[in-house]
Amino acid sequence: MRLVSLAILVGALALGGCSSTRTYNWAAERAAGYKIGPGDVVRISVWKHDEMSQQVTVRPDGAISLPLIGDIMAEGKNVDEVAADIGKRVTKYFADQPPITVQVAEVRSYKIYVVGEVQRGGEFTPNHQVTVVQGLALAGGFTRLAAPDEIVIVRRDARGERRIPFSYGAVVKDNQLQQNLMLQTGDTVIVP
């Protein structure tokens, strides 16, 4: 009786592990977008105020400096959040509320890590965001000992640290493209 109960429990846990890949909320991960980091070059355009429009590099402390308004924290924010911060500060200098556009002109802070059963694991610094499948390609693909359907992406951000399941077979064979997330700066792809 105990052996049967143990077998049922192990089976339920195994099924739960498989179903967690299917029930993960990948849409919440996709919503994050690119986050600015130290070293990135940011282009700021303030309509009809050329004196405020500049291209600046994000300092190692994560801030940028602009005339009149001083330092603004950019690290960990997307371009819309930085534009909103600038917009709040320029209101005391201009009677109108000028439209503000922020663009990432050069990506320099983007680093991802691919470790485990891959041909060339380590740190990668592409000049643009890559998906999980592209990150695996940068690492040269799997070794013959890899378990490609049990990959985990470790992500740390404002939402905390979490483990995101990834099944290579589900993406490639079953067309579950929602799993093929854009990797964020600092993500670690672990291939068991």
Side-chain angles (χ1 to χ4, degrees), residues 34-35 38-40 104 106-114 122-139 182-187 189:
Y34 182 74
K35 301 294 184 182
D40 287 346
V104 178
E106 292 179 41
V107 174
R108 295 183 182 166
S109 68
Y110 188 63
K111 292 179 175 79
I112 60 162
Y113 304 86
V114 183
E123 177 184 273
F124 297 92
T125 57
N127 60 1
H128 57 85
Q129 273 192 293
V130 297
T131 65
V132 179
V133 171
Q134 291 168 334
L136 293 168
L138 288 172
M182 284 291 187
L183 293 172
Q184 300 291 322
T185 297
D187 280 358
V189 179

Side-chain angles (χ1 to χ4, degrees), residues 102-179:
V102 176
Q103 300 170 309
V104 178
E106 292 179 41
V107 174
R108 295 183 182 166
S109 68
Y110 188 63
K111 292 179 175 79
I112 60 162
Y113 304 86
V114 183
V115 298
E117 293 297 328
V118 290
Q119 299 296 327
R120 293 181 309 276
E123 177 184 273
F124 297 92
T125 57
N127 60 1
H128 57 85
Q129 273 192 293
V130 297
T131 65
V132 179
V133 171
Q134 291 168 334
L136 293 168
L138 288 172
F142 304 118
T143 67
R144 69 178 210 276
L145 300 175
D149 293 336
E150 298 174 18
I151 295 172
V152 173
I153 303 155
V154 176
R155 179 170 288 175
R156 291 178 192 92
D157 59 17
R159 292 175 43 206
E161 181 174 300
R162 58 200 172 284
R163 298 170 59 87
I164 304 166
F166 178 84
S167 170
Y168 185 80
V171 171
V172 175
K173 295 175 186 164
D174 299 336
N175 207 28
Q176 293 182 20
L177 299 178
Q178 74 277 6
Q179 289 191 41

Side-chain angles (χ1 to χ4, degrees), residues 67-80:
L68 294 178
I69 58 176
D71 291 349
I72 294 177
M73 184 54 64
E75 181 179 11
K77 296 180 179 179
N78 64 35
V79 292
D80 293 334

Side-chain angles (χ1 to χ4, degrees), residues 42 52 64 67 69 72 81 92 97 119 121 138 165 167 185 191:
V42 180
M52 294 287 298
I64 57 174
I69 58 176
I72 294 177
E81 292 169 325
K92 61 182 166 183
Q97 178 61 43
Q119 299 296 327
L138 288 172
S167 170
T185 297
V191 181

